[in-house]
Amino acid sequence: MTTPAVVCIGMAGSGKTTFMQRLNSYLHAHDMPPYIVNLDPAVLNVPFNANIDIRDSVNYKEVMKQYNLGPNGAIITSLNLFATKIDQVLGIVEQRAKSVSHVLIDTPGQIECFVWSASGAILLDALASAIPTVIAYIVDTPRTTSPATFMSNMLYACSILYKTKLPLVIVFNKTDVADASFATEWMTDFESFQAALKDLDDDENNPEGGSGYMNSLMNSMSLVLEEFYRHLDVVSVSAYTGAGMDDFLQAIDRKVEEFNTDYKAEMERIVREREKAKEAEKQRNLNRLMKDMGIKDHAKPMTKVEPAQTVSDAEEEDDEDEFADRFVNEEDAEGILDPDYEEQEVSDEEM
């Protein structure tokens, strides 16, 4: 089976990084060392050794200082700068993927900075075009016991699935604190969720109860999401104790098969359409330039005008430097983006 990439996405405080640490330790303990990529530029320390770390090529604090940005803006800009190196990073990942069991990717805790940014989409698309890619959406189970927060998490999971267009596994974390059986029951039995809403509405002392409109809305949304639940793999784990890691890896294997049968063909079609549109745009620009030059200089025959090489070069430079030109020039990039970035060599020792 082809080595899969597991992209861990989760709300701040959901235990995403701790889950990554536990999964890394588990794989090492079973002689299946993973390859780890850290895409969080703002994290101070990570409890695992990252083979590729965005902090080695982008200085988050310098980005904030030079561009006068807040935390979220600096994270997005750092990801944009890192996206300019995606070809180099992807080449390293593809090479190493042949000798490891999994490629684990940690993302920023500010989930919207990665999922909804242009650079996040570029990174995921490039990764999925090379190796099977699965999204692991980490949910904080103790904070999801309320029907309202549960429904909010499910809606967010639904939006991630349709935004990334990649197989999704919902991981209910922290089951050592709160059992996740209530969540799986709500996802499989609509009547049990209705009963929970009724109990919430009848409890006058509960600040989340008593809103008939909200209960009616959540009832309707649960019906809408019923079909969405059928295409999900749901696992319960504890990053603290290590429980549920076997179930998680089995779910990843199932999603890899789903990726190869359903998602891969669709992604290849999208890539072909993008390339076709790109070539059509190049041809339109070329025709427009030739027409303009022909109008301006009637003395020269059209056959002797050779703008193709210039246009092609310009297009290639635009493709390579699209994000770098938007956020940083060569003079401002000094101290932020390391042009000689190389992969960080890390031994595969068990944590």
Side-chain angles (χ1 to χ4, degrees):
M1 183 179 293
T2 307
T3 299
V6 181
V7 183
C8 293
I9 296 175
M11 299 287 187
S14 62
K16 176 173 53 63
T17 302
T18 307
F19 172 77
M20 282 275 296
Q21 178 193 21
R22 175 61 64 179
L23 183 58
N24 178 44
S25 299
Y26 180 88
L27 291 172
H28 274 290
H30 289 76
D31 295 326
M32 298 187 297
Y35 195 77
I36 301 180
V37 180
N38 174 44
L39 293 181
D40 189 352
V43 66
L44 293 178
N45 297 294
V46 291
F48 48 80
N49 291 327
N51 300 91
I52 295 179
D53 197 329
I54 187 175
R55 297 175 300 171
D56 294 334
S57 60
V58 180
N59 191 323
Y60 171 75
K61 291 184 178 180
E62 284 296 321
V63 171
M64 290 186 67
K65 180 180 177 181
Q66 290 197 20
Y67 297 102
N68 195 27
L69 296 172
N72 286 355
I75 290 175
I76 293 175
T77 303
S78 298
L79 287 170
N80 286 331
L81 292 168
F82 189 74
T84 64
K85 293 179 173 289
I86 185 60
D87 291 337
Q88 180 182 354
V89 173
L90 192 61
I92 296 172
V93 171
E94 282 187 279
Q95 182 181 1
R96 295 296 190 273
K98 300 175 183 178
S99 58
V100 297
S101 63
H102 297 77
V103 176
L104 307 180
I105 300 174
D106 194 17
T107 59
Q110 289 75 6
I111 188 171
E112 68 280 358
C113 295
F114 181 79
V115 175
W116 300 105
S117 66
S119 55
I122 288 175
L123 291 167
L124 286 177
D125 288 347
L127 187 65
S129 66
I131 58 178
T133 305
V134 179
I135 303 294
Y137 179 56
I138 315 299
V139 178
D140 188 345
T141 306
R143 295 184 180 179
T144 315
T145 54
S146 166
T149 53
F150 170 80
M151 184 55 61
S152 298
N153 261 303
M154 293 303 102
L155 289 173
Y156 215 117
C158 182
S159 69
I160 290 173
L161 175 65
Y162 289 107
K163 177 66 171 65
T164 61
K165 296 182 177 63
L166 292 171
L168 179 71
V169 176
I170 293 184
V171 182
F172 286 100
N173 193 18
K174 303 183 182 179
T175 54
D176 56 296
V177 178
D179 189 4
S181 57
F182 73 92
T184 55
E185 184 180 1
W186 287 350
M187 296 176 71
T188 55
D189 186 358
F190 171 73
E191 292 182 355
S192 66
F193 186 75
Q194 279 187 320
L197 282 177
K198 187 177 184 304
D199 293 340
L200 185 66
D201 196 28
D202 293 340
D203 187 359
E204 297 180 356
N205 297 322
N206 194 321
E208 296 186 10
S211 174
Y213 170 75
M214 286 302 299
N215 287 354
S216 176
L217 176 61
M218 284 189 284
N219 261 321
S220 301
M221 293 307 302
S222 61
L223 283 172
V224 172
L225 292 178
E226 188 175 5
E227 184 66 23
F228 167 68
Y229 295 151
R230 295 178 184 176
H231 300 280
L232 294 178
D233 275 61
V234 180
V235 296
S236 302
V237 304
S238 171
Y240 181 73
T241 65
M245 289 299 164
D246 280 333
D247 294 337
F248 174 74
L249 292 177
Q250 290 172 10
I252 293 298
D253 291 340
R254 290 193 296 270
K255 287 303 178 182
V256 169
E257 294 179 3
E258 183 179 328
F259 177 90
N260 290 328
T261 56
D262 300 334
Y263 288 82
K264 188 175 181 179
E266 178 66 13
M267 290 203 65
E268 290 176 349
R269 182 188 67 81
I270 293 174
V271 169
R272 287 195 300 268
E273 288 183 354
R274 286 178 180 173
E275 290 297 326
K276 186 177 179 180
K278 185 177 177 181
E279 289 299 324
E281 182 64 24
K282 284 184 178 181
Q283 188 61 42
R284 285 194 296 270
N285 291 337
L286 176 60
N287 292 339
R288 187 161 52 245
L289 179 60
M290 292 180 67
K291 181 179 178 180
D292 292 344
M293 293 184 70
I295 291 174
K296 293 176 181 178
D297 189 0
H298 294 284
K300 295 183 179 180
M302 289 291 293
T303 55
K304 292 188 178 181
V305 177
E306 299 181 357
Q309 183 64 35
T310 303
V311 174
S312 176
D313 290 343
E315 290 292 336
E316 290 177 0
E317 291 175 2
D318 288 343
D319 291 341
E320 294 174 357
D321 300 330
E322 178 181 357
F323 286 93
D325 289 343
R326 289 179 58 187
F327 296 100
V328 63
N329 57 38
E330 292 182 359
E331 182 178 354
D332 293 339
E334 185 176 357
I336 297 177
L337 190 61
D338 181 7
D340 300 322
Y341 167 71
E342 295 180 355
E343 173 197 12
Q344 179 183 358
E345 294 293 339
V346 177
S347 62
D348 290 330
E349 296 180 359
E350 180 181 352
M351 297 297 300

